[in-house]
Each structure stands twice: as structure tokens, then as C-alpha cells.
Amino acid sequence: MEELHSETKKAEPEPASKIIGLTGGIGSGKTTVAHYIEEFGFPVYYSDDRAKTIVNDNEDLKVKIKELLGEESYDENGMYNRKWVAEKVFNDKDLLHQLNEIIHPAVRIDFEEWVQKQTKYLVFKETALLFELKLNRQCYKSLLVTAEDNIRIKRVMDRDHKTYREVEAVMEKQMPEKDKIKLADCVIYNNTNLEDLKEQTERIIFSIE
């Protein structure tokens, strides 16, 4: 009698983590929400923080940034001169775009390497420019943290000791909240208190399938 041999079943690969883009304008509470997400056990990649490290550690970036903006873009210790650069590109959209074109590809590669090391079914990419750079297209879902303009302005004035007009000038450079809300898959409204903010965060992230 011929013996039947069943084919060895190949183990199916583990599903890749779903990337959730987390964003919010100045004073929205985005960073606080990111910390809550970490409390709930999910990893968060802080794009802005990583960018600050990469511009100092990546020698190729240093060369390109100096070529674009000048030697003053790095201080005498070879560290990125963030304040000087910010002032230089603040009112120059074209220059800002060119700078982003240098920095963001390096951040994207760093993020992709980070994702490969994660094991949770959801990972979060915190970035201020999720919609502006169309990074939401690379995400499974987008999560926006927002608040009323007057509340955001007061928070930043209290936090950074800036004037009303200084904060307003920054907000005017950012994509309008109404446009972000239309683009977002999920929205957290941070208009009340931290308890409510945490409850909204928990409810939304655990509802993502």
C-alpha cells in the first residue's frame, strides 16, 4: 500500500505592524497623546526628535544642508544651528521645501528601520507634517489631535513664553485645522482636560482594527 505524504505546511509570516500616523498643530497636545499611547503599550516613533539627532549624526546631511543654507547652519561645535535655520526658512517656502527634501528622506529610512524592529500590531509615527508631506498615504490610518485655536494659542504662550502674535504667526504657517480634520481618519479633540484626552486616546486606538 502506497504511503501518503502530506506536504509540510509552510509557516505563514507574521503580519506587519500597521502604521498609524499621529499629528497635530502647535499647542494641540500631540506629544501628550503620544505619551498616552506609549502608556497603553504601543511604540511611538518621534519624527521631529529623530530628525534633530539625524541632522547632527549624518555627515552627508550636514554637507547638503551647508550647501543649501551656508556654514552658519552648524555652530562652531559642529551642531545643527536650529534657531538660525528656523529663522532663515520661516518666511521662505521654497527654501523650507528644499530643506525638507534633504531631511525627510533620511528620517523616512530611519523610520523604516525602526518599524522592522517592532512587534506590536500597531505602531505610531508622530510627525507635525503628516498631511503637508502626504505621509498619511504611507500609513494604515491617520490620527489627528486638535483643539480650538484660542486654546492652542494660550497653551503655547504659557509653555514657551511667547506673545499672542508670535504663536499666531506660527499657526498661520501650518495647514488649517479644518483641512486636517477632513483628511484625518480619526480625530481627538483636546478642548477640556487631560482625563478626557486620555479617555479619547484609549477609546480610539483600541478601536483600530
Side-chain angles (χ1 to χ4, degrees), residues 26-79:
I26 187 171
S28 64
K30 168 173 57 73
T31 302
T32 301
V33 167
H35 292 159
Y36 289 151
I37 289 169
E38 289 181 308
E39 281 185 35
F40 295 133
F42 297 98
V44 178
Y45 178 90
Y46 293 89
S47 298
D48 299 339
D49 288 346
R50 284 301 300 157
K52 291 175 184 177
T53 299
I54 291 169
V55 294
N56 283 311
D57 293 348
N58 189 313
E59 293 301 323
D60 288 338
L61 275 190
K62 284 187 176 184
V63 171
K64 291 177 181 178
I65 292 171
K66 286 179 181 179
E67 287 177 350
L68 177 67
L69 302 176
E71 292 293 325
E72 300 95 330
S73 50
Y74 284 81
D75 63 23
E76 63 275 9
N77 297 314
M79 301 300 289

Side-chain angles (χ1 to χ4, degrees), residues 76-173:
E76 63 275 9
N77 297 314
M79 301 300 289
Y80 190 61
N81 195 341
R82 183 164 305 280
K83 183 178 180 183
W84 184 90
V85 171
E87 291 174 352
K88 190 171 181 65
V89 303
F90 187 74
N91 289 311
D92 191 328
K93 288 184 178 180
D94 183 59
L95 201 57
L96 176 60
H97 174 74
Q98 292 181 65
L99 180 62
N100 285 336
E101 286 292 300
I102 294 172
I103 296 175
H104 289 291
V107 175
R108 184 188 69 246
I109 292 170
D110 184 70
F111 171 70
E112 290 170 353
E113 293 174 349
W114 176 86
V115 169
Q116 293 303 314
K117 300 173 185 175
Q118 306 309 313
T119 58
K120 295 289 186 177
Y121 70 96
L122 296 180
V123 298
F124 291 78
K125 182 178 186 178
E126 177 270 345
T127 175
L129 300 175
L130 184 71
F131 299 123
E132 290 87 340
L133 298 177
K134 298 180 172 56
L135 300 175
N136 55 308
R137 295 178 180 176
Q138 303 164 12
C139 299
Y140 176 68
K141 297 281 186 181
S142 58
L143 173 56
L144 170 68
V145 185
T146 189
E148 295 174 5
D149 286 356
N150 62 323
I151 294 175
R152 293 168 58 209
I153 290 172
K154 186 177 187 307
R155 285 175 184 155
V156 180
M157 288 173 64
D158 292 343
R159 182 190 70 195
D160 298 342
H161 308 292
K162 293 184 178 295
T163 66
Y164 185 96
R165 182 54 198 149
E166 285 174 332
V167 181
E168 191 177 47
V170 173
M171 289 173 59
E172 287 172 354
K173 297 287 184 180

